Amino acid sequence: MKKLILLSYLIAIAFCGSAQNKQLTMQDAMSNARTTLAPENLSQIQFIYGTEEYIYAKRVGNSPVWFSGNAKSAVDKPFLTLAQLNQKLATAQKDTLKMMPMIQFNRGPEWIVYAGGSKLALDPVKNTATVLVDKSLMGKSVVEESKAGYVAYLDNFNLFVAKGGDQKQVTTDGSANIVYASTVHREEFGITKGTFWSNNGKTLAFYRMDQSMVTDYPIIDWTTRPAKNVNIKYPMADDKSHHVTVGVYNAENKTVVYLKTGEPVEQFLTNIAWSPDDKYVYIAVLNRGQNHMKLNQYDATTGDFVKTLFEEKDDKYVEPLVPMLFLQNDPSKFIWQSNRDGWNHLYLYDLKGKVLKQLTKGPWEVLDVKGFDAKGDQLFYVSTEESPITRNLYVLNVKSGKSRRITQGFAVHNTQVSTSGNTIIDNYSTPDAPRVIQLVETANAKAKILLKAANPLASYATQNSSIFTIKSKSGDDLYMNLYKPVNYDASKKYPVVVYWYGGPHAQLITNGWNAGAGDYWSRYMAQNGYVVLTVDVRGSDNRGKAFEQSMFRRAGEVQMEDMMNAVDYLKSQSYVDADNMGLFGWSFGGFATTDFMLTHPGVFKAAVAGGPVINWAFYEIMYTERYMDTPQENPEGYAATYLSNRVDQLKGKLLLIHGQQDPVVVQQHSVDFVKHAVDKGVQVDYMIYPGHEHNVMGKDRIHLYQKVTDYFDLYLKGGKK
């Protein structure tokens, strides 16, 4: 297969020097990678609101000190010490602090400070402080303050709104079945919270979810004597879904109305937005089939449906993820994100629902919108226009529709934009540059370097990977990331471990430090004599609608095909021991790993499938029915992907791993597979992690990866390290 070489520096460059002989430990690879072996950073770097000044925390002696600078300053100067902060707090008649807190300088003219258990807005000029959230409320659930000084929170399942000493109980029927002001629809469709304050902060939109009709699902708490059952609500594919409505609470007259979102009750209410004048609430209403979306307008005072601005339909599915964004200087227009032309782009609309202009266009994805400049004429956004594996910041003139790239270099850029839009903080990395932080003037791209992090692995026996592409049978580029063994010898053959995911909303490979991975496990394995390959197959994120939707109604099918292409590539390399290859994936990757071991038995000698989906009929409605339709609509697809029914096709060694309290991919999946294996006389291995949910985190993650490593050592290297 033809390989596309991206840049010469991406190709397996080994670090040199006689001192480079330290060995990564599992602690280094999985824990220290995020602490002592993470690239140096400027802690909490941000802009000071309304200025071009940047600020960050730096330890001086035993206490952090805030330092600031700008494009013209030669040296960053101390801006705020703990003593100076305490002086301001004392003047404001607030408790002083023993330690420097986290401070947000970029939220507005006031600094947001957590002090004395409360959340404060500190005026740094007048040295006065306003309590945003009192310490009596900080421990409540889903706390969110408004511009007008109101605070919404949950207490004993019910929604309250407080201001000063006045507390109003907004709802009274909250329970485990009637859920208020919380995330709904299993946090799909970009939903991350359940309360939405209006622009003036006097009116609150909130979710109400009735899940009484959803089947209880048992999660066992093993920490008690005896163990006890804790039920969760888990709507499996084709079963009854919860019913969601949106309430609107007026904090001034203390009244509640519910938006008349209508029938059917099993629909998805997503991407809530307020009109600039706070008279209307907009909701992207999606049918349960997820192939028809309506952007609806509702009267915030009466709850009445006003009109549908526009609709989007798709033969497969529509997935609204981002609320409408009103123009800063023209409230009669808004920007909507859609992948209707095959790629996620920005569209300019008027309030009649008419498309005025497609603002961005091309075979690439808009990933994030950073917001407008101070004048409201320029919009900043992040996209993959240069490459699917890079991230760059662009600025768009909304009126002309012309955009301009700001960040430079084949890299992954994480950016912050100043209030004016004249300056950005650019925090970027490449495989050879662990971190560079610079201040960039948007008008002329003039840059001031604030930090160049040293390679934290310089003294370790490790090497960079190579990133390249191969072609899938469909003609798509499949990105691959390859580590060769440390002290690689071209005359030898080495065992292989392949890691993948392959499902929507995940991309494993980017052209950043460590190829985008957050840990050093691949380097650890390469240090121990493995070839390690990561691959983003079809179904993965940020490659356009067709690339993702290729798996529609038959999850795994294109992934199996693309993995075989990767296997063919590996087998074509003289240094690969094709008789000793292992496969590893988690969640959707666990499903894909198990599927591959059954679909292509004998290709991989051993595999590890963590948190695997085994039967899509066991998985939740919102995700499953989007990609698979319902079991009634797609019986062939569900039958083909019910992996337990094919357990007798397994030839290699397979280790299943599951968090015992997993509420996402419930343990029934792997248990069902093991039961079928026992019934068919097929040997599989099984490991549980009590107390862990879908991902094994914290100190036990080291144990998890040691377990995976030992499994591959046992079967791919005969137990040899």
Side-chain angles (χ1 to χ4, degrees):
M1 281 170 270
K2 182 179 179 181
K3 289 190 290 179
L4 171 65
I5 306 302
L6 298 173
L7 284 176
S8 59
Y9 62 78
L10 291 176
I11 307 175
I13 304 171
F15 298 121
C16 300
S18 58
Q20 191 209 356
N21 54 16
K22 292 176 66 175
Q23 299 291 299
L24 287 167
T25 65
M26 192 63 77
Q27 173 81 27
D28 291 332
M30 303 310 303
S31 180
N32 297 346
R34 293 172 173 83
T35 55
T36 57
L37 289 181
E40 182 186 0
N41 202 356
L42 295 178
S43 177
Q44 302 175 64
I45 187 167
Q46 58 192 285
F47 281 109
I48 299 175
Y49 180 85
T51 76
E52 310 306 314
E53 296 270 329
Y54 57 86
I55 188 167
Y56 58 91
K58 179 180 178 181
R59 183 167 290 279
V60 177
N62 294 323
S63 178
V65 173
W66 290 94
F67 282 76
S68 70
N70 56 47
K72 296 181 180 179
S73 60
V75 179
D76 296 341
K77 298 180 179 179
F79 179 86
L80 184 69
T81 65
L82 180 59
Q84 291 170 329
L85 175 62
N86 278 333
Q87 186 177 17
K88 291 179 179 293
L89 290 171
T91 304
Q93 299 183 329
K94 299 298 178 184
D95 293 339
T96 56
L97 304 171
K98 294 182 179 180
M99 298 177 62
M100 180 68 80
M102 292 182 63
I103 304 176
Q104 291 175 279
F105 295 92
N106 57 6
R107 282 272 302 270
E110 293 84 19
W111 302 344
I112 307 302
V113 183
Y114 294 87
S118 299
K119 184 177 182 180
L120 307 176
L122 177 65
D123 187 318
V125 178
K126 298 178 181 179
N127 290 337
T128 57
T130 303
V131 177
L132 298 178
V133 183
D134 185 75
K135 61 182 178 182
S136 63
L137 301 181
M138 287 295 289
K140 304 295 184 181
S141 300
V142 297
V143 176
E144 184 176 5
E145 74 274 12
S146 81
K147 183 187 295 186
Y150 295 98
V151 180
Y153 63 94
L154 274 182
D155 190 10
N156 194 27
F157 298 109
N158 281 299
L159 173 64
F160 289 74
V161 172
K163 186 176 185 179
D166 181 23
Q167 296 184 350
K168 168 66 176 177
Q169 183 170 346
V170 179
T171 67
T172 58
D173 60 340
S175 67
N177 282 332
I178 306 297
V179 180
Y180 283 104
S182 304
T183 57
V184 298
H185 305 320
R186 303 278 303 174
E187 299 185 357
E188 296 288 331
F189 316 108
I191 297 170
T192 59
K193 62 175 189 166
T195 53
F196 309 86
W197 281 108
S198 61
N199 299 287
N200 65 15
K202 297 178 181 179
T203 316
L204 177 73
F206 59 91
Y207 279 125
R208 179 187 190 272
M209 178 171 63
D210 180 354
Q211 54 181 5
S212 59
M213 69 292 299
V214 177
T215 304
D216 287 335
Y217 193 90
I219 301 290
I220 305 301
D221 178 0
W222 298 94
T223 63
T224 63
R225 180 182 180 272
K228 64 181 179 181
N229 176 59
V230 179
N231 283 328
I232 64 170
K233 293 293 186 177
Y234 194 92
M236 289 185 175
D238 217 19
D239 288 349
K240 290 183 179 180
S241 183
H242 50 239
H243 301 169
V244 173
T245 51
V246 174
V248 177
Y249 173 70
N250 187 308
E252 290 189 317
N253 60 33
K254 300 182 179 180
T255 59
V256 177
V257 299
Y258 282 88
L259 304 184
K260 298 171 185 177
T261 49
E263 301 286 340
V265 290
E266 290 195 356
Q267 59 185 356
F268 305 119
L269 305 183
T270 75
N271 299 282
I272 293 175
W274 281 93
S275 62
D277 61 8
D278 292 336
K279 292 182 179 179
Y280 303 101
V281 175
Y282 296 89
I283 303 177
V285 180
L286 187 66
N287 66 329
R288 176 161 171 173
Q290 301 188 50
N291 58 4
H292 186 187
M293 184 276 294
K294 297 179 180 180
L295 184 60
N296 287 348
Q297 180 183 11
Y298 301 90
D299 188 301
T301 302
T302 65
D304 290 340
F305 167 75
V306 178
K307 65 175 182 287
T308 295
L309 276 70
F310 64 85
E311 304 178 37
E312 285 192 7
K313 298 179 181 180
D314 190 272
D315 291 340
K316 297 180 176 66
Y317 53 85
V318 180
E319 188 182 6
L321 291 168
V322 183
M324 60 203 298
L325 174 67
F326 283 90
L327 297 194
Q328 189 169 298
N329 52 13
D330 187 351
S332 69
K333 298 182 179 68
F334 65 91
I335 292 171
W336 182 255
Q337 294 191 37
S338 172
N339 66 357
R340 67 186 61 165
D341 75 346
W343 305 86
N344 191 58
H345 282 298
L346 308 179
Y347 294 81
L348 182 65
Y349 275 86
D350 65 19
L351 286 178
K352 294 180 181 179
K354 178 183 178 182
V355 179
L356 302 177
K357 187 185 300 182
Q358 182 171 349
L359 295 171
T360 60
K361 189 177 181 62
W364 44 270
E365 301 266 280
V366 172
L367 301 181
D368 187 25
V369 172
K370 295 288 187 178
F372 294 98
D373 66 0
K375 295 180 180 179
D377 299 326
Q378 309 283 334
L379 183 72
F380 295 89
Y381 68 90
V382 178
S383 84
T384 62
E385 183 172 355
E386 178 188 40
S387 166
I389 62 171
T390 63
R391 304 288 183 268
N392 282 287
L393 182 70
Y394 294 78
V395 62
L396 168 74
N397 185 296
V398 177
K399 186 175 181 179
S400 70
K402 293 182 179 179
S403 63
R404 174 172 54 89
R405 177 173 162 177
I406 297 175
T407 52
Q408 303 299 318
F410 200 78
V412 174
H413 296 267
N414 294 297
T415 55
Q416 299 178 52
V417 183
S418 67
T419 314
S420 67
N422 294 331
T423 317
I424 67 165
I425 296 170
D426 180 17
N427 185 336
Y428 75 88
S429 72
T430 70
D432 292 331
R435 188 189 309 278
V436 177
I437 302 178
Q438 58 183 359
L439 193 72
V440 180
E441 297 176 42
T442 57
N444 54 24
K446 185 177 179 181
K448 172 187 174 181
I449 301 295
L450 307 182
L451 171 72
K452 279 190 175 181
N455 176 14
L457 299 176
S459 62
Y460 287 82
T462 184
Q463 63 186 34
N464 278 359
S465 59
S466 59
I467 300 175
F468 56 92
T469 65
I470 62 173
K471 288 290 185 184
S472 70
K473 290 185 178 179
S474 61
D476 292 295
D477 286 329
L478 304 178
Y479 280 87
M480 304 174 75
N481 181 57
L482 181 74
Y483 284 92
K484 289 184 179 179
V486 175
N487 300 320
Y488 165 75
D489 183 342
S491 66
K492 294 183 178 180
K493 289 186 178 292
Y494 297 93
V496 177
V497 171
V498 179
Y499 183 77
W500 65 335
Y501 181 82
H505 297 290
Q507 180 183 9
L508 300 181
I509 302 167
T510 60
N511 199 56
W513 170 244
N514 203 37
D519 59 60
Y520 296 143
W521 185 72
S522 292
R523 293 176 182 267
Y524 176 86
M525 296 298 281
Q527 170 189 280
N528 291 333
Y530 286 93
V531 173
V532 185
L533 180 73
T534 303
V535 56
D536 279 323
V537 296
R538 278 175 291 170
S540 302
D541 205 11
N542 302 325
R543 296 294 306 280
K545 183 164 68 170
F547 195 83
E548 179 185 285
Q549 288 189 343
S550 60
M551 59 172 275
F552 182 64
R553 288 174 64 92
R554 197 65 177 264
E557 189 169 73
V558 297
Q559 288 88 349
M560 301 304 103
E561 185 178 278
D562 290 351
M563 180 54 73
M564 275 306 302
N565 285 6
V567 167
D568 290 342
Y569 167 80
L570 288 169
K571 288 183 175 180
S572 71
Q573 306 304 303
S574 60
Y575 55 85
V576 165
D577 181 357
D579 293 329
N580 286 288
M581 298 197 300
L583 186 61
F584 179 27
W586 199 275
S587 194
F588 191 100
F591 157 74
T593 294
T594 308
D595 193 0
F596 193 92
M597 292 294 286
L598 305 176
T599 305
H600 297 283
V603 172
F604 287 99
K605 191 174 182 180
V608 178
V613 174
I614 296 297
N615 183 352
W616 285 103
F618 293 169
Y619 199 58
E620 49 96 341
I621 286 169
M622 298 78 195
Y623 187 99
T624 305
E625 294 182 5
R626 180 187 312 139
Y627 303 116
M628 290 285 289
D629 281 338
T630 67
Q632 277 192 332
E633 294 167 325
N634 183 22
E636 297 85 0
Y638 278 83
T641 54
Y642 182 20
L643 305 184
S644 296
N645 282 342
R646 294 191 280 131
V647 68
D648 55 345
Q649 297 175 13
L650 180 67
K651 286 189 177 179
K653 296 294 183 179
L654 176 62
L655 169 63
L656 302 174
I657 302 178
H658 225 119
Q660 204 164 22
Q661 276 64 53
D662 193 338
V664 180
V665 181
V666 294
Q667 197 182 358
Q668 184 174 0
H669 286 271
S670 55
V671 169
D672 184 79
F673 190 87
V674 171
K675 177 65 169 80
H676 280 71
V678 172
D679 290 346
K680 295 289 183 66
V682 176
Q683 293 292 330
V684 295
D685 296 301
Y686 196 64
M687 178 69 185
I688 58 170
Y689 279 89
H692 287 278
E693 296 191 350
H694 188 50
N695 292 298
V696 179
M697 306 303 290
K699 63 180 180 61
D700 291 350
R701 195 164 181 81
I702 297 171
H703 186 283
L704 164 67
Y705 272 81
Q706 190 62 61
K707 183 73 176 179
V708 174
T709 300
D710 290 346
Y711 198 75
F712 287 135
D713 282 346
L714 177 63
Y715 291 111
L716 305 184
K717 297 172 71 175
K720 297 178 181 178
K721 297 291 185 182

